[in-house]
Amino acid sequence: MKKKYSYLTLVLLVAFTLILSACGSKDDKTSEKNADLLQEIKDRGTLKVGLMGTYQPYNFLNDKKEMDGFDADIAKELAKRLGVDVEFVSQEFSGMVAGLQTKKFDAVISQMTITDERKKQMDFTEPYITNNVKVIVQEKNNTVKSVKDFKGKNIGVGLGTNDETYLRTELLPEVGDFTIKTYDDVITSLKDLDSGRIDATINNMYALKPVVEKNGFKIKAVGEPVKSDKAGIAIRKGNESLLKELNKHLADMKQDGTYNEIFVKWFGEEPQE
């Protein structure tokens, strides 16, 4: 009888040990999955930032082949306040979400508009800039004066952008059928607009001004702003400590005047927000 109880006790102990081991393994995997990205960045000593690198004056390669622009300066300042270096990773905007999810970079600082749809995939900081989007046409074009005139026209837009979503989901049903042509960079869309291959595009003049001045494009903005977009820094979900830290530093930058200095440097005026 004692042998029987001893054997049963041994079996229960083994089973209990296996259960604890399985729970521990599960906890380890969960812990690994939700590892503190903020601490990882500090341990690594580098904040990896995804941006297009072709969207002057927000982010672009300067004459020294260094990443420059408003977004780049915001990223550099945030990295400085985190106590780390910054590493820029160029990425076409259409692949930005995938690049973030596959850990190609830690954060996206590339004029990514905050939308409800995107918030399902990523977490965003508080907005760090507001952009007014307007209709852009050739200087000699007097037939397209607003989005209401898009019907039957060829309209250019950045691939994978919030502007593309706006054209497809909101404007097409509202104003009638028009053709949407997508682009991976702004300069190509403006070349097509200047040459008459498209009738209009939508964008904000902060983005277009340096490109227009450099290339001599004969284009103009018309009508009232189509919409106002608020851009935020995007990070992978589940990294609350990093999100909190970034929001703190953004608030501090605005409070101590650093943000205003960066804004005026690139846009020549004080921020309106």
Side-chain angles (χ1 to χ4, degrees):
M1 183 67 71
K2 286 183 180 180
K3 287 184 178 180
K4 182 177 180 181
Y5 283 127
S6 297
Y7 179 72
L8 181 60
T9 301
L10 180 61
V11 170
L12 290 172
L13 282 171
V14 170
F16 186 63
T17 301
L18 288 173
I19 290 170
L20 285 177
S21 176
C23 290
S25 176
K26 184 178 180 180
D27 289 342
D28 288 343
K29 288 180 180 178
T30 302
S31 177
E32 183 179 343
K33 182 179 179 181
N34 296 320
D36 189 343
L37 181 56
L38 175 60
Q39 191 59 51
E40 181 184 325
I41 289 167
K42 290 185 175 182
D43 291 343
R44 185 200 308 146
T46 306
L47 173 67
K48 295 181 181 178
V49 174
L51 37 62
M52 292 171 65
T54 57
Y55 198 27
Q56 192 175 0
Y58 296 103
N59 52 80
F60 64 99
L61 288 177
N62 61 24
D63 294 337
K64 297 179 181 178
K65 302 301 179 184
E66 298 170 338
M67 195 62 71
D68 212 345
F70 175 76
D71 290 335
D73 278 358
I74 293 292
K76 290 172 187 175
E77 184 64 27
L78 286 171
K80 177 182 174 183
R81 295 180 186 229
L82 287 170
V84 299
D85 295 326
V86 64
E87 177 185 335
F88 293 114
V89 183
S90 297
Q91 172 69 59
E92 288 183 353
F93 198 86
S94 56
M96 203 68 76
V97 175
L100 183 66
Q101 303 293 17
T102 56
K103 301 184 179 182
K104 188 175 180 180
F105 29 79
D106 307 310
V108 175
I109 308 180
S110 190
Q111 295 304 297
M112 182 168 282
T113 300
I114 302 169
T115 67
D116 290 338
E117 190 63 32
R118 284 176 178 161
K119 284 195 285 188
K120 295 175 184 177
Q121 300 174 284
M122 303 165 284
D123 284 334
F124 284 91
T125 63
E126 293 298 315
Y128 69 98
I129 191 171
T130 299
N131 294 306
N132 288 323
V133 176
K134 300 190 78 173
V135 175
I136 315 295
V137 298
Q138 285 181 324
E139 278 187 358
K140 61 183 180 182
N141 187 331
N142 295 312
T143 58
V144 177
K145 298 177 181 178
S146 73
V147 293
K148 294 178 181 179
D149 301 315
F150 280 8
K151 186 175 181 180
K153 303 292 194 302
N154 296 311
I155 310 301
V157 71
L159 178 65
T161 63
N162 185 53
D163 290 343
E164 182 189 3
T165 302
Y166 167 74
L167 289 181
R168 294 189 186 282
T169 62
E170 294 187 41
L171 210 56
L172 268 173
E174 180 183 330
V175 306
D177 194 36
F178 56 86
T179 300
I180 296 174
K181 185 173 182 180
T182 57
Y183 296 86
D184 284 323
D185 59 84
V186 174
I187 190 168
T188 306
S189 66
L190 294 184
K191 283 180 179 177
D192 277 7
L193 179 63
D194 189 59
S195 64
R197 284 189 285 271
I198 57 175
D199 299 296
T201 184
I202 60 172
N203 215 311
N204 73 81
M205 289 310 295
Y206 285 156
L208 302 188
K209 186 178 179 181
V211 182
V212 172
E213 290 176 349
K214 183 177 181 180
N215 294 274
F217 295 137
K218 303 298 183 182
I219 62 177
K220 62 183 179 181
V222 296
E224 294 297 314
V226 176
K227 58 192 178 75
S228 292
D229 291 337
K230 294 184 180 296
I233 298 169
I235 64 172
R236 288 185 295 279
K237 281 189 170 294
N239 294 289
E240 293 300 323
S241 57
L242 177 60
L243 191 66
K244 183 178 179 180
E245 190 87 352
L246 291 174
N247 273 325
K248 175 186 180 301
H249 292 315
L250 282 173
D252 289 346
M253 286 165 61
K254 292 183 178 182
Q255 183 68 31
D256 63 28
T258 305
Y259 177 85
N260 275 37
E261 290 178 11
I262 295 173
F263 196 96
V264 172
K265 172 185 174 182
W266 290 105
F267 306 123
E269 61 185 41
E270 294 284 334
Q272 300 301 307
E273 53 185 334

